[in-house]
PDB file of all heavy atoms in Angstrom:
ATOM      1  N   THR K   1      43.272 151.584 199.189  1.00  0.00           N
ATOM      2  CA  THR K   1      43.968 152.748 198.753  1.00  0.00           C
ATOM      3  C   THR K   1      43.770 152.857 197.156  1.00  0.00           C
ATOM      4  O   THR K   1      43.870 153.982 196.569  1.00  0.00           O
ATOM      5  CB  THR K   1      45.453 152.790 199.084  1.00  0.00           C
ATOM      6  OG1 THR K   1      46.133 151.737 198.430  1.00  0.00           O
ATOM      7  CG2 THR K   1      45.668 152.822 200.502  1.00  0.00           C
ATOM      8  N   LYS K   2      43.345 151.795 196.514  1.00  0.00           N
ATOM      9  CA  LYS K   2      43.141 151.888 195.076  1.00  0.00           C
ATOM     10  C   LYS K   2      41.784 152.098 194.778  1.00  0.00           C
ATOM     11  O   LYS K   2      41.352 152.170 193.509  1.00  0.00           O
ATOM     12  CB  LYS K   2      43.594 150.416 194.454  1.00  0.00           C
ATOM     13  CG  LYS K   2      45.098 150.188 194.480  1.00  0.00           C
ATOM     14  CD  LYS K   2      45.432 148.890 193.756  1.00  0.00           C
ATOM     15  CE  LYS K   2      46.957 148.751 193.724  1.00  0.00           C
ATOM     16  NZ  LYS K   2      47.292 147.466 192.996  1.00  0.00           N
ATOM     17  N   GLY K   3      40.929 152.349 195.757  1.00  0.00           N
ATOM     18  CA  GLY K   3      39.534 152.752 195.471  1.00  0.00           C
ATOM     19  C   GLY K   3      38.477 151.853 195.935  1.00  0.00           C
ATOM     20  O   GLY K   3      37.233 152.178 195.867  1.00  0.00           O
ATOM     21  N   PHE K   4      38.742 150.650 196.350  1.00  0.00           N
ATOM     22  CA  PHE K   4      37.816 149.712 196.800  1.00  0.00           C
ATOM     23  C   PHE K   4      37.397 150.088 198.240  1.00  0.00           C
ATOM     24  O   PHE K   4      38.099 150.671 198.990  1.00  0.00           O
ATOM     25  CB  PHE K   4      38.390 148.244 196.924  1.00  0.00           C
ATOM     26  CG  PHE K   4      38.660 147.686 195.498  1.00  0.00           C
ATOM     27  CD1 PHE K   4      39.905 147.720 194.998  1.00  0.00           C
ATOM     28  CD2 PHE K   4      37.596 147.014 194.747  1.00  0.00           C
ATOM     29  CE1 PHE K   4      40.261 147.188 193.889  1.00  0.00           C
ATOM     30  CE2 PHE K   4      37.938 146.553 193.472  1.00  0.00           C
ATOM     31  CZ  PHE K   4      39.213 146.532 193.042  1.00  0.00           C
ATOM     32  N   THR K   5      36.103 149.752 198.631  1.00  0.00           N
ATOM     33  CA  THR K   5      35.590 149.963 199.953  1.00  0.00           C
ATOM     34  C   THR K   5      36.346 148.977 200.954  1.00  0.00           C
ATOM     35  O   THR K   5      36.999 148.045 200.454  1.00  0.00           O
ATOM     36  CB  THR K   5      34.112 149.672 200.082  1.00  0.00           C
ATOM     37  OG1 THR K   5      33.788 148.368 199.935  1.00  0.00           O
ATOM     38  CG2 THR K   5      33.382 150.473 199.055  1.00  0.00           C
ATOM     39  N   ALA K   6      36.269 149.285 202.142  1.00  0.00           N
ATOM     40  CA  ALA K   6      37.021 148.451 203.158  1.00  0.00           C
ATOM     41  C   ALA K   6      36.490 146.900 203.120  1.00  0.00           C
ATOM     42  O   ALA K   6      37.336 146.000 203.090  1.00  0.00           O
ATOM     43  CB  ALA K   6      36.813 149.015 204.498  1.00  0.00           C
ATOM     44  N   ASP K   7      35.206 146.873 202.930  1.00  0.00           N
ATOM     45  CA  ASP K   7      34.591 145.483 202.840  1.00  0.00           C
ATOM     46  C   ASP K   7      35.087 144.732 201.568  1.00  0.00           C
ATOM     47  O   ASP K   7      35.421 143.533 201.545  1.00  0.00           O
ATOM     48  CB  ASP K   7      33.060 145.428 202.872  1.00  0.00           C
ATOM     49  CG  ASP K   7      32.535 145.925 204.288  1.00  0.00           C
ATOM     50  OD1 ASP K   7      33.327 145.702 205.296  1.00  0.00           O
ATOM     51  OD2 ASP K   7      31.390 146.406 204.401  1.00  0.00           O
ATOM     52  N   GLU K   8      35.012 145.502 200.476  1.00  0.00           N
ATOM     53  CA  GLU K   8      35.428 144.931 199.050  1.00  0.00           C
ATOM     54  C   GLU K   8      36.971 144.479 199.200  1.00  0.00           C
ATOM     55  O   GLU K   8      37.236 143.355 198.758  1.00  0.00           O
ATOM     56  CB  GLU K   8      35.221 145.919 198.075  1.00  0.00           C
ATOM     57  CG  GLU K   8      33.697 146.176 197.725  1.00  0.00           C
ATOM     58  CD  GLU K   8      33.567 147.322 196.702  1.00  0.00           C
ATOM     59  OE1 GLU K   8      34.420 148.092 196.662  1.00  0.00           O
ATOM     60  OE2 GLU K   8      32.477 147.288 196.066  1.00  0.00           O
ATOM     61  N   ALA K   9      37.698 145.400 199.763  1.00  0.00           N
ATOM     62  CA  ALA K   9      39.204 145.111 199.792  1.00  0.00           C
ATOM     63  C   ALA K   9      39.538 143.847 200.676  1.00  0.00           C
ATOM     64  O   ALA K   9      40.353 143.090 200.342  1.00  0.00           O
ATOM     65  CB  ALA K   9      39.959 146.442 200.329  1.00  0.00           C
ATOM     66  N   ASN K  10      38.814 143.773 201.853  1.00  0.00           N
ATOM     67  CA  ASN K  10      38.987 142.723 202.738  1.00  0.00           C
ATOM     68  C   ASN K  10      38.556 141.443 202.138  1.00  0.00           C
ATOM     69  O   ASN K  10      39.206 140.432 202.251  1.00  0.00           O
ATOM     70  CB  ASN K  10      38.228 142.908 203.920  1.00  0.00           C
ATOM     71  CG  ASN K  10      38.376 142.024 205.115  1.00  0.00           C
ATOM     72  OD1 ASN K  10      39.654 141.805 205.461  1.00  0.00           O
ATOM     73  ND2 ASN K  10      37.490 141.361 205.524  1.00  0.00           N
ATOM     74  N   GLU K  11      37.438 141.507 201.324  1.00  0.00           N
ATOM     75  CA  GLU K  11      36.935 140.177 200.724  1.00  0.00           C
ATOM     76  C   GLU K  11      37.967 139.794 199.660  1.00  0.00           C
ATOM     77  O   GLU K  11      38.212 138.579 199.510  1.00  0.00           O
ATOM     78  CB  GLU K  11      35.619 140.466 200.144  1.00  0.00           C
ATOM     79  CG  GLU K  11      35.049 139.181 199.458  1.00  0.00           C
ATOM     80  CD  GLU K  11      33.651 139.409 198.748  1.00  0.00           C
ATOM     81  OE1 GLU K  11      33.134 140.617 198.976  1.00  0.00           O
ATOM     82  OE2 GLU K  11      33.150 138.574 198.099  1.00  0.00           O
ATOM     83  N   ILE K  12      38.481 140.710 198.865  1.00  0.00           N
ATOM     84  CA  ILE K  12      39.386 140.411 197.748  1.00  0.00           C
ATOM     85  C   ILE K  12      40.652 139.796 198.378  1.00  0.00           C
ATOM     86  O   ILE K  12      41.189 138.712 197.865  1.00  0.00           O
ATOM     87  CB  ILE K  12      39.798 141.614 196.931  1.00  0.00           C
ATOM     88  CG1 ILE K  12      38.537 142.115 196.192  1.00  0.00           C
ATOM     89  CG2 ILE K  12      40.973 141.247 195.953  1.00  0.00           C
ATOM     90  CD1 ILE K  12      38.765 143.452 195.445  1.00  0.00           C
ATOM     91  N   ALA K  13      41.250 140.330 199.453  1.00  0.00           N
ATOM     92  CA  ALA K  13      42.390 139.963 200.110  1.00  0.00           C
ATOM     93  C   ALA K  13      42.294 138.491 200.607  1.00  0.00           C
ATOM     94  O   ALA K  13      43.126 137.669 200.506  1.00  0.00           O
ATOM     95  CB  ALA K  13      42.779 140.928 201.203  1.00  0.00           C
ATOM     96  N   HIS K  14      41.137 138.213 201.278  1.00  0.00           N
ATOM     97  CA  HIS K  14      40.872 136.913 201.851  1.00  0.00           C
ATOM     98  C   HIS K  14      40.704 135.863 200.732  1.00  0.00           C
ATOM     99  O   HIS K  14      41.150 134.730 200.959  1.00  0.00           O
ATOM    100  CB  HIS K  14      39.643 136.967 202.811  1.00  0.00           C
ATOM    101  CG  HIS K  14      39.981 137.406 204.123  1.00  0.00           C
ATOM    102  ND1 HIS K  14      40.054 138.776 204.536  1.00  0.00           N
ATOM    103  CD2 HIS K  14      40.414 136.767 205.324  1.00  0.00           C
ATOM    104  CE1 HIS K  14      40.396 138.900 205.815  1.00  0.00           C
ATOM    105  NE2 HIS K  14      40.439 137.660 206.343  1.00  0.00           N
ATOM    106  N   ARG K  15      40.094 136.328 199.643  1.00  0.00           N
ATOM    107  CA  ARG K  15      39.965 135.359 198.447  1.00  0.00           C
ATOM    108  C   ARG K  15      41.250 134.961 197.893  1.00  0.00           C
ATOM    109  O   ARG K  15      41.457 133.834 197.544  1.00  0.00           O
ATOM    110  CB  ARG K  15      38.978 136.064 197.434  1.00  0.00           C
ATOM    111  CG  ARG K  15      38.658 135.076 196.279  1.00  0.00           C
ATOM    112  CD  ARG K  15      37.785 133.980 196.783  1.00  0.00           C
ATOM    113  NE  ARG K  15      36.401 134.467 197.153  1.00  0.00           N
ATOM    114  CZ  ARG K  15      35.479 134.873 196.336  1.00  0.00           C
ATOM    115  NH1 ARG K  15      35.584 134.767 195.006  1.00  0.00           N
ATOM    116  NH2 ARG K  15      34.326 135.330 196.817  1.00  0.00           N
ATOM    117  N   ILE K  16      42.127 135.898 197.717  1.00  0.00           N
ATOM    118  CA  ILE K  16      43.418 135.731 197.196  1.00  0.00           C
ATOM    119  C   ILE K  16      44.274 134.859 198.139  1.00  0.00           C
ATOM    120  O   ILE K  16      44.979 133.921 197.747  1.00  0.00           O
ATOM    121  CB  ILE K  16      44.149 137.017 196.964  1.00  0.00           C
ATOM    122  CG1 ILE K  16      43.448 137.694 195.743  1.00  0.00           C
ATOM    123  CG2 ILE K  16      45.628 136.782 196.676  1.00  0.00           C
ATOM    124  CD1 ILE K  16      44.095 139.087 195.568  1.00  0.00           C
ATOM    125  N   ALA K  17      44.090 135.148 199.428  1.00  0.00           N
ATOM    126  CA  ALA K  17      44.948 134.370 200.504  1.00  0.00           C
ATOM    127  C   ALA K  17      44.492 132.829 200.519  1.00  0.00           C
ATOM    128  O   ALA K  17      45.233 132.158 201.173  1.00  0.00           O
ATOM    129  CB  ALA K  17      44.717 134.978 201.832  1.00  0.00           C
ATOM    130  N   GLU K  18      43.349 132.482 199.912  1.00  0.00           N
ATOM    131  CA  GLU K  18      43.029 131.165 199.873  1.00  0.00           C
ATOM    132  C   GLU K  18      43.938 130.237 199.063  1.00  0.00           C
ATOM    133  O   GLU K  18      44.075 128.967 199.259  1.00  0.00           O
ATOM    134  CB  GLU K  18      41.561 130.976 199.370  1.00  0.00           C
ATOM    135  CG  GLU K  18      40.476 131.521 200.365  1.00  0.00           C
ATOM    136  CD  GLU K  18      39.030 131.464 199.711  1.00  0.00           C
ATOM    137  OE1 GLU K  18      39.014 130.921 198.546  1.00  0.00           O
ATOM    138  OE2 GLU K  18      38.262 132.038 200.481  1.00  0.00           O
ATOM    139  N   ASP K  19      44.630 130.950 198.194  1.00  0.00           N
ATOM    140  CA  ASP K  19      45.550 130.145 197.294  1.00  0.00           C
ATOM    141  C   ASP K  19      46.978 130.657 197.659  1.00  0.00           C
ATOM    142  O   ASP K  19      47.362 131.807 197.323  1.00  0.00           O
ATOM    143  CB  ASP K  19      45.237 130.548 195.802  1.00  0.00           C
ATOM    144  CG  ASP K  19      46.035 129.626 194.845  1.00  0.00           C
ATOM    145  OD1 ASP K  19      47.356 129.397 195.118  1.00  0.00           O
ATOM    146  OD2 ASP K  19      45.502 129.416 193.741  1.00  0.00           O
ATOM    147  N   ASP K  20      47.795 129.877 198.320  1.00  0.00           N
ATOM    148  CA  ASP K  20      49.149 130.231 198.819  1.00  0.00           C
ATOM    149  C   ASP K  20      50.033 130.794 197.634  1.00  0.00           C
ATOM    150  O   ASP K  20      50.683 131.727 197.728  1.00  0.00           O
ATOM    151  CB  ASP K  20      49.795 129.043 199.452  1.00  0.00           C
ATOM    152  CG  ASP K  20      49.172 128.827 200.837  1.00  0.00           C
ATOM    153  OD1 ASP K  20      48.495 129.684 201.277  1.00  0.00           O
ATOM    154  OD2 ASP K  20      49.390 127.636 201.332  1.00  0.00           O
ATOM    155  N   GLU K  21      49.943 130.041 196.501  1.00  0.00           N
ATOM    156  CA  GLU K  21      50.923 130.504 195.374  1.00  0.00           C
ATOM    157  C   GLU K  21      50.485 131.875 194.836  1.00  0.00           C
ATOM    158  O   GLU K  21      51.132 132.776 194.576  1.00  0.00           O
ATOM    159  CB  GLU K  21      50.798 129.472 194.227  1.00  0.00           C
ATOM    160  CG  GLU K  21      51.763 129.804 193.139  1.00  0.00           C
ATOM    161  CD  GLU K  21      51.765 128.673 191.937  1.00  0.00           C
ATOM    162  OE1 GLU K  21      51.020 127.693 192.155  1.00  0.00           O
ATOM    163  OE2 GLU K  21      52.326 128.913 190.982  1.00  0.00           O
ATOM    164  N   LEU K  22      49.147 132.038 194.637  1.00  0.00           N
ATOM    165  CA  LEU K  22      48.548 133.280 194.165  1.00  0.00           C
ATOM    166  C   LEU K  22      48.848 134.434 195.278  1.00  0.00           C
ATOM    167  O   LEU K  22      49.220 135.643 194.818  1.00  0.00           O
ATOM    168  CB  LEU K  22      47.077 133.225 193.985  1.00  0.00           C
ATOM    169  CG  LEU K  22      46.292 134.368 193.479  1.00  0.00           C
ATOM    170  CD1 LEU K  22      46.947 134.982 192.173  1.00  0.00           C
ATOM    171  CD2 LEU K  22      44.995 134.091 193.297  1.00  0.00           C
ATOM    172  N   PHE K  23      48.758 134.046 196.474  1.00  0.00           N
ATOM    173  CA  PHE K  23      49.050 135.056 197.552  1.00  0.00           C
ATOM    174  C   PHE K  23      50.461 135.498 197.498  1.00  0.00           C
ATOM    175  O   PHE K  23      50.671 136.760 197.547  1.00  0.00           O
ATOM    176  CB  PHE K  23      48.667 134.342 198.857  1.00  0.00           C
ATOM    177  CG  PHE K  23      48.493 135.394 199.965  1.00  0.00           C
ATOM    178  CD1 PHE K  23      48.422 136.683 199.768  1.00  0.00           C
ATOM    179  CD2 PHE K  23      48.615 134.838 201.326  1.00  0.00           C
ATOM    180  CE1 PHE K  23      48.321 137.570 200.833  1.00  0.00           C
ATOM    181  CE2 PHE K  23      48.468 135.744 202.474  1.00  0.00           C
ATOM    182  CZ  PHE K  23      48.344 137.103 202.117  1.00  0.00           C
ATOM    183  N   VAL K  24      51.405 134.559 197.293  1.00  0.00           N
ATOM    184  CA  VAL K  24      52.871 135.022 197.349  1.00  0.00           C
ATOM    185  C   VAL K  24      53.121 135.923 196.055  1.00  0.00           C
ATOM    186  O   VAL K  24      53.590 136.950 196.150  1.00  0.00           O
ATOM    187  CB  VAL K  24      53.697 133.858 197.266  1.00  0.00           C
ATOM    188  CG1 VAL K  24      55.128 134.151 196.877  1.00  0.00           C
ATOM    189  CG2 VAL K  24      53.627 132.957 198.486  1.00  0.00           C
ATOM    190  N   LYS K  25      52.545 135.497 194.816  1.00  0.00           N
ATOM    191  CA  LYS K  25      52.714 136.332 193.673  1.00  0.00           C
ATOM    192  C   LYS K  25      52.110 137.700 193.816  1.00  0.00           C
ATOM    193  O   LYS K  25      52.747 138.697 193.311  1.00  0.00           O
ATOM    194  CB  LYS K  25      52.200 135.581 192.494  1.00  0.00           C
ATOM    195  CG  LYS K  25      52.948 134.285 192.023  1.00  0.00           C
ATOM    196  CD  LYS K  25      52.278 133.601 190.889  1.00  0.00           C
ATOM    197  CE  LYS K  25      53.072 132.451 190.455  1.00  0.00           C
ATOM    198  NZ  LYS K  25      52.470 131.708 189.160  1.00  0.00           N
ATOM    199  N   THR K  26      50.950 137.757 194.387  1.00  0.00           N
ATOM    200  CA  THR K  26      50.206 138.909 194.590  1.00  0.00           C
ATOM    201  C   THR K  26      50.940 139.995 195.440  1.00  0.00           C
ATOM    202  O   THR K  26      51.150 141.110 195.152  1.00  0.00           O
ATOM    203  CB  THR K  26      48.900 138.777 195.090  1.00  0.00           C
ATOM    204  OG1 THR K  26      48.006 137.934 194.161  1.00  0.00           O
ATOM    205  CG2 THR K  26      48.178 140.012 195.174  1.00  0.00           C
ATOM    206  N   MET K  27      51.464 139.434 196.590  1.00  0.00           N
ATOM    207  CA  MET K  27      52.205 140.249 197.645  1.00  0.00           C
ATOM    208  C   MET K  27      53.545 140.627 197.048  1.00  0.00           C
ATOM    209  O   MET K  27      53.951 141.833 197.241  1.00  0.00           O
ATOM    210  CB  MET K  27      52.437 139.477 198.865  1.00  0.00           C
ATOM    211  CG  MET K  27      51.148 139.245 199.774  1.00  0.00           C
ATOM    212  SD  MET K  27      50.217 140.711 200.133  1.00  0.00           S
ATOM    213  CE  MET K  27      51.448 141.645 201.088  1.00  0.00           C
ATOM    214  N   ALA K  28      54.220 139.825 196.255  1.00  0.00           N
ATOM    215  CA  ALA K  28      55.431 140.256 195.558  1.00  0.00           C
ATOM    216  C   ALA K  28      55.186 141.445 194.656  1.00  0.00           C
ATOM    217  O   ALA K  28      56.020 142.269 194.651  1.00  0.00           O
ATOM    218  CB  ALA K  28      55.972 139.025 194.864  1.00  0.00           C
ATOM    219  N   GLN K  29      54.081 141.362 193.960  1.00  0.00           N
ATOM    220  CA  GLN K  29      53.839 142.425 193.007  1.00  0.00           C
ATOM    221  C   GLN K  29      53.294 143.698 193.674  1.00  0.00           C
ATOM    222  O   GLN K  29      53.624 144.783 193.355  1.00  0.00           O
ATOM    223  CB  GLN K  29      52.755 141.908 192.067  1.00  0.00           C
ATOM    224  CG  GLN K  29      52.431 142.918 190.939  1.00  0.00           C
ATOM    225  CD  GLN K  29      51.490 142.376 189.865  1.00  0.00           C
ATOM    226  OE1 GLN K  29      51.327 141.137 189.689  1.00  0.00           O
ATOM    227  NE2 GLN K  29      50.963 143.304 189.147  1.00  0.00           N
ATOM    228  N   GLU K  30      52.415 143.462 194.616  1.00  0.00           N
ATOM    229  CA  GLU K  30      51.732 144.678 195.200  1.00  0.00           C
ATOM    230  C   GLU K  30      52.563 145.293 196.314  1.00  0.00           C
ATOM    231  O   GLU K  30      52.625 146.592 196.398  1.00  0.00           O
ATOM    232  CB  GLU K  30      50.364 144.301 195.815  1.00  0.00           C
ATOM    233  CG  GLU K  30      49.253 143.798 194.894  1.00  0.00           C
ATOM    234  CD  GLU K  30      48.820 144.790 193.990  1.00  0.00           C
ATOM    235  OE1 GLU K  30      49.260 146.049 194.195  1.00  0.00           O
ATOM    236  OE2 GLU K  30      47.954 144.460 193.057  1.00  0.00           O
TER     237      GLU K  30
END
């Protein structure tokens, strides 16, 4: 919804999810 394509958004989300701490902080913020 921020302008990334579906593939780009999916790749970014999975990359972030590889780091549990970063994933939690990102979800808390987003």
Side-chain angles (χ1 to χ4, degrees):
T1 61
K2 291 184 176 183
F4 292 98
T5 66
D7 290 339
E8 290 171 338
N10 188 57
E11 182 181 353
I12 294 172
H14 278 83
R15 183 71 61 85
I16 291 174
E18 292 175 0
D19 185 328
D20 287 342
E21 184 178 354
L22 177 61
F23 194 15
V24 170
K25 290 181 178 180
T26 302
M27 290 306 294
Q29 182 173 345
E30 298 290 355

